[in-house]
Structure formats: C-alpha cells, structure tokens
Amino acid sequence: NAGVTQTPKFQVLKTGQSMTLQCAQDMNHEYMSWYRQDPGMGLRLIHYSVGAGITDQGEVPNGYNVSRSTTEDFPLRLLSAAPSQTSVYFCASTGTTTYEQYFGPGTRLTVT
Amino acid sequence: RKEVEQDPGPFNVPEGATVAFNCTYSNSASQSFFWYRQDCRKEPKLLMSVYSSGNEDGRFTAQLNRASQYISLLIRDSKLSDSATYLCVAVTDSWGKLQFGAGTQVVVTP
C-alpha cells in the first residue's frame, strides 16, 4: 500500500518557469490537500479538494492552480515560478469519516 | 489570532523524563483533534487521535479539555527518538479541513 506519493522529490526552477507537482493516493480518499511549509513555520493550506471535479482555495492560493479529474490524483501547478515559492510542498489525503490525514513525502522546490 | 496555537519550545528533556505540552484552539465547534509528529525535513505523520475521554498509546497520553479549549500531549520515559516537532491539529469544518498549529519542538538529551 503506497499511501500518498509525490513527484518529484526535488526541483530547481528559474523565475518565470512553470511546472506541475504530482500527487497520487491509493486509499480512495475523497479529500485531498496541498500545503507548503517554510523554514520555522507551520503548514499553510494552498488548495484542497473534496472530491473529483471539486476544488477550492486555501490560505495561500495565489500563484498556484489545481485540478482533480480523478479521485486518485491531485496535481498542483505553479503558473510562473517566483523565488517566494521556494518551499517544501506536501500533498495529503484525508479519511472521510476519521479525518485522519496522511501526507506524501514532500517536494522540495527552489526557485532561483 | 491563529485558530490553533502552540508553544514553539524547544522543550529540552533528559532521556527517561516526562514532558507535557498543550495546544489551544479557538473554534469551539471543532470536533476532532490529532497530534502529528514531524521529523526535520520529513512529512508529518499521525501520532494519535485525541478523544474526549482522553487516550493513551504506549508512552503517549493525549487529553482534550473542551471547557478550556485545549489539548495536551504527555510523553513518559522519553527516548532520544522522541526528538521531533509535535503538531497539534483541529478539524474545523464538515469536509475535514484541518487547522495545524505551528508545532512544539521537543529535544530529548542523553
């Protein structure tokens, strides 16, 4: 059981480039989320989804897009990378009845 | 005011000692609570759920105080491997949106 997987693990981008962070879960969870975590700071919610075809903004959505075409996948797209988006990005999926949230291993992104 | 607040620490604990710390939440409608553990540069991992009656898992005990709106985590017989940041989480709405605290750092020393 893989749980939540994320790719890539590391990425370096130049300012202005775009890219997609991949996230997949095999637990058949309806709820999925994207967070960013900056040094010494807590997790901040970027976008979340309560099911296929349904997404909504979190606390810090600017500069990011998401889509949810299937229950399993929840990619995060950076539209035009900026140095302020240098961070560690975690994808998570949440059990519908227990609300227990499971995280992927993270993507460490550096924007130069 | 943040919805979930934690003392950032660090709590420096001798090996074998007991450490306890709290987390306060502002949304009285929060129904579910959790403690997560996060090691440096790793993903948060679920440590335990927090039930109204309190619950215990080995050396770890979690308590919920709804009247004062805080949850606590107690670690007995601390091990070096308990060194980590402990995140407090409150579920704040029906879809399962989780509010994370910024974490309490625990450092267990030999």
Side-chain angles (χ1 to χ4, degrees):
Chain A
N1 191 339
V4 181
T5 58
Q6 289 184 239
T7 56
K9 291 187 178 179
F10 301 92
Q11 183 70 51
V12 179
L13 291 178
K14 295 186 185 301
T15 297
Q17 288 184 315
S18 63
M19 78 160 294
T20 299
L21 279 61
Q22 302 292 342
C23 174
Q25 53 97 2
D26 62 1
M27 295 175 281
N28 202 32
H29 287 166
E30 291 294 327
Y31 308 150
M32 296 186 73
S33 312
W34 275 103
Y35 296 87
R36 61 176 288 173
Q37 187 174 39
D38 300 299
M41 295 185 67
L43 294 161
R44 291 187 290 170
L45 183 65
I46 304 171
H47 285 285
Y48 64 97
S49 169
V50 299
I54 307 169
T55 63
D56 206 346
Q57 297 181 350
E59 181 186 355
V60 288
N62 292 341
Y64 308 94
N65 273 353
V66 291
S67 59
R68 185 94 180 271
S69 57
T70 66
T71 299
E72 294 77 20
D73 300 297
F74 190 42
L76 177 73
R77 183 165 178 81
L78 278 69
L79 307 173
S80 177
S84 60
Q85 293 179 305
T86 293
S87 189
V88 180
Y89 292 84
F90 291 108
C91 177
S93 73
T94 307
T96 309
T97 54
T98 65
Y99 299 127
E100 293 176 354
Q101 193 164 71
Y102 298 92
F103 287 81
T107 294
R108 284 148 186 81
L109 176 68
T110 302
V111 183
T112 61
Chain B
R1 181 185 174 189
K2 293 182 180 178
E3 291 209 35
V4 177
E5 298 205 56
Q6 297 183 247
D7 181 340
F11 285 68
N12 294 299
V13 187
E15 194 174 7
T18 296
V19 61
F21 41 90
N22 295 338
C23 154
T24 59
Y25 61 95
S26 61
N27 188 339
S28 59
S30 297
Q31 293 296 316
S32 301
F33 305 88
F34 304 95
W35 283 104
Y36 280 73
R37 171 200 171 117
Q38 186 174 27
D39 295 296
C40 187
R41 299 180 65 78
K42 298 282 192 179
E43 73 272 25
K45 292 187 177 178
L46 180 64
L47 179 65
M48 59 196 307
S49 304
V50 185
Y51 304 123
S52 296
S53 56
N55 53 307
E56 186 174 314
D57 183 1
R59 298 180 294 106
F60 297 83
T61 300
Q63 295 279 352
L64 167 62
N65 185 316
R66 287 197 182 274
S68 301
Q69 294 187 203
Y70 73 88
I71 68 173
S72 63
L73 182 66
L74 181 146
I75 308 173
R76 286 184 298 278
D77 187 22
S78 297
K79 311 292 185 190
L80 296 176
S81 57
D82 294 333
S83 296
T85 296
Y86 292 85
L87 306 176
C88 169
V89 181
V91 179
T92 58
D93 65 27
S94 59
W95 79 265
K97 185 176 179 182
L98 278 64
Q99 288 288 345
F100 282 82
T104 294
Q105 186 184 7
V106 172
V107 179
V108 182
T109 56

